[in-house]
């Protein structure tokens, strides 16, 4: 029985009439840039996250970059983040001219180890960028109190965590601002690229909006250099159809994760994702870890032979990537927990609507290698 890592076709089939109608309506009205759908989506996403403002933009990478640019972060500044994230987090920091500074992660949750944050702060630090990896929030209270004490911004990379909660607050409403991605495979995905910034700060929202439209608030008059980063009206229309289903989809992901937890708990040689009690995770990915890269390779090969989708997340920690080698502003740190994940952490299929029989099949194949 083949099991995809994620079933986007099933998600389309579920909502096909509404999605098709929404897309055709944009075509009929030929309002492709800006307009009521984008404004309505911004309002809906702010409401969903519990923030005063949301600004739609081209993708999650831009969302991160626009926040930092709007905060005035640039050359000579440092931004503290995690080495265990999608490359875009760090790319966005680097493109402002700032230097990324990595702190190690915790085993089990793979989130930033907040107990190591204070030691990474220097007089150049401007912001902390926690990444709610795989859909579980970082322990934000210590991050917020440290940031307040040291006068730092907190920018959440919430690209994998839409709908996740932390002490009753939704991801994206905890720091000064947050970035979301609507890349098709994210928990709320459009039919292409899309992103958004959420914040309670009206001035920050206005600066992000201005930078996303060529540094202008009045057409053809510019007092700063911005860029072009917009959410297409078609994507906004699609996201407006999907958003009301997000909580149910996330609940289905949690239920599927609980099934794996129950079936794999006693399997030697396989570490299951650990969950903190401060909120609900949304299982963007269900990540397991073997004791060695060789064991991961064996399990993944068996999964692939059985037609089951899997992939390493992430094959190589970011502080070890070639792009940083030889950079004069960057001394490669030694981050033991992140390095222990290299080649050893991978995803099992865990998506809304996955059937119990599909999960049984995944478990059978994993156990066939490790049990
Ligand atoms: C997907 C993702 C991004 C980037 O989003 P794009 O929309 O692909 O630009 C950034 N950070 C994390 C953690 C992500 O998962």
């Amino acid at each position: 029985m083949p099991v995809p890592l994620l079933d986007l076709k099933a998600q389309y089939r579920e909502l096909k009439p509404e999605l098709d109608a929404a897309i055709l309506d944009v075509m009929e009205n030929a309002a492709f840039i800006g307009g009521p759908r984008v404004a309505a989506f911004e309002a809906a996403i702010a409401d969903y996250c519990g923030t005063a403002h949301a600004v739609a933009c081209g993708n999650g990478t831009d969302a991160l970059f626009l926040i930092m640019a709007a905060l005035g972060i640039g050359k000579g500044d440092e931004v503290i983040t995690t080495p265990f994230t999608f490359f875009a987090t760090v790319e966005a920091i680097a493109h402002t001219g700032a230097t990324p500074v990595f702190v190690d992660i915790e085993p089990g949750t793979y989130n930033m180890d907040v107990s190591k944050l204070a030691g990474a702060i220097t007089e150049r630090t401007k912001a902390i960028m926690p990444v709610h990896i795989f859909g579980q929030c970082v322990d934000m209270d210590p991050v917020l109190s440290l940031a307040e004490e040291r006068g730092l911004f907190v920018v959440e990379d919430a690209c994998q965590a839409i709908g996740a909660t932390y002490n009753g607050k939704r991801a994206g409403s905890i720091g000064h601002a947050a970035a979301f991605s609507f890349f098709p495979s994210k928990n709320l995905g459009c039919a292409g690229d899309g992103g958004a910034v959420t914040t309670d700060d009206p001035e920050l929202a206005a600066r992000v909006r201005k930078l996303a439209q060529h540094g202008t608030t009045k057409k053809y008059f510019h007092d700063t250099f911005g860029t072009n980063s917009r959410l297409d009206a078609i994507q906004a229309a699609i996201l407006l159809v999907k958003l009301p289903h997000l909580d149910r989809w996330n609940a289905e992901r949690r239920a599927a994760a609980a099934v794996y937890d129950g079936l794999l708990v006693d399997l030697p040689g396989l570490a299951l994702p650990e969950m903190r009690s401060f909120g609900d995770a949304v299982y963007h990915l269900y990540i397991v870890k073997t004791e060695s890269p060789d064991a991961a390779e064996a399990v993944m090969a068996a999964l692939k032979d059985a037609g089951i989708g899997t992939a390493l997340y992430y094959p190589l920690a970011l502080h070890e990537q070639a792009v940083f080698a030889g950079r004069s502003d960057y001394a490669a740190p030694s981050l033991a927990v992140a390095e222990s994940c290299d080649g050893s952490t991978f995803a099992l299929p865990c998506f809304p609507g996955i059937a119990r029989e599909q999960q049984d099949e995944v478990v059978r194949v994993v156990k066939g290698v490790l049990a």
Side-chain angles (χ1 to χ4, degrees):
M1 182 197 316
V3 187
L5 189 53
L6 174 66
D7 196 347
L8 286 176
K9 287 182 187 162
Q11 206 182 64
Y12 175 52
R13 280 195 301 272
E14 181 190 337
L15 300 175
K16 183 171 170 21
E18 296 100 302
L19 286 169
D20 290 357
I23 293 165
L24 287 176
D25 185 65
V26 175
M27 297 304 292
E28 294 283 353
N29 288 296
F32 302 116
I33 301 289
R37 301 276 193 171
V38 175
F41 178 66
E42 289 180 334
I45 211 73
D47 182 58
Y48 180 83
C49 292
T51 57
H53 305 277
V55 181
C57 64
N59 53 66
T61 312
D62 283 359
L64 289 166
F65 174 81
L66 289 165
I67 294 167
M68 286 184 287
L71 291 171
I73 291 169
K75 202 165 168 44
D77 297 334
E78 291 175 354
V79 177
I80 301 174
T81 191
T82 164
F84 200 67
T85 173
F86 179 53
F87 185 59
T89 311
V90 175
E91 206 172 25
I93 296 169
H95 279 315
T96 66
T99 303
V101 173
F102 296 109
V103 295
D104 208 354
I105 57 171
E106 326 169 301
T109 69
Y110 308 104
N111 264 327
M112 173 186 267
D113 183 342
V114 298
S115 73
K116 302 206 167 115
L117 263 180
I121 295 175
T122 72
E123 69 279 5
R124 290 148 72 111
T125 308
K126 281 282 155 54
I128 303 170
M129 186 177 286
V131 181
H132 307 309
I133 202 72
F134 307 138
Q136 177 169 216
C137 285
V138 170
D139 188 5
M140 292 296 287
D141 279 345
V143 179
L144 295 174
S145 49
L146 192 64
E148 175 151 11
E149 199 182 298
R150 308 292 289 266
L152 308 174
F153 296 113
V154 176
V155 180
E156 296 169 73
D157 181 338
C159 289
Q160 299 187 1
I162 190 157
T165 57
Y166 178 79
N167 291 335
K169 295 185 99 179
R170 281 237 162 99
S173 68
I174 310 166
H176 294 97
F180 287 98
S181 165
F182 308 113
F183 184 79
S185 67
K186 303 288 156 115
N187 290 35
L188 178 67
C190 59
D193 280 306
V197 170
T198 52
T199 181
D200 280 333
D201 179 342
E203 278 151 36
L204 183 59
R207 281 202 298 279
V208 166
R209 192 178 291 287
K210 179 175 175 176
L211 289 172
Q213 47 196 20
H214 302 292
T216 178
T217 41
K218 186 179 170 198
K219 205 169 185 185
Y220 302 125
F221 291 85
H222 311 268
D223 56 22
T224 185
F225 290 111
T227 187
N228 172 7
S229 185
R230 297 185 281 237
L231 183 73
D232 292 337
I234 283 188
Q235 305 303 348
I238 288 168
L239 291 165
L240 279 167
V241 171
K242 287 188 166 190
L243 182 58
H245 302 274
L246 177 62
D247 283 345
R248 177 172 51 84
W249 288 333
N250 281 341
E252 288 177 22
R253 287 173 183 269
R254 275 194 293 278
V259 168
Y260 283 134
D261 286 347
L263 295 174
L264 293 168
V265 63
D266 292 325
L267 188 62
L270 195 73
L272 304 183
E274 279 173 32
M275 290 297 131
R276 297 282 177 260
S277 57
F278 47 55
D280 283 334
V282 294
Y283 289 93
H284 173 59
L285 292 166
Y286 186 91
I287 295 295
V288 293
K289 184 182 181 192
T290 51
E291 280 162 5
S292 70
D294 286 349
E297 215 176 287
V299 176
M300 291 176 73
L303 289 168
K304 283 175 188 160
D305 281 348
I308 296 168
T310 184
L312 289 170
Y313 292 93
Y314 291 93
L316 184 65
L318 295 186
H319 66 289
E320 302 174 277
Q321 297 283 345
V323 66
F324 291 115
R327 254 181 81 144
S328 60
D329 64 343
Y330 180 82
S334 166
L335 304 171
V337 182
E339 286 159 27
S340 78
C341 296
D342 290 347
S344 301
T345 45
F346 56 98
L348 301 181
C350 183
F351 53 85
I354 188 170
R356 176 57 197 255
E357 304 79 64
Q358 291 179 304
Q359 293 195 267
D360 286 340
E361 171 73 353
V362 173
V363 168
R364 188 186 65 76
V365 173
V366 172
K367 286 190 166 170
V369 180
L370 292 176

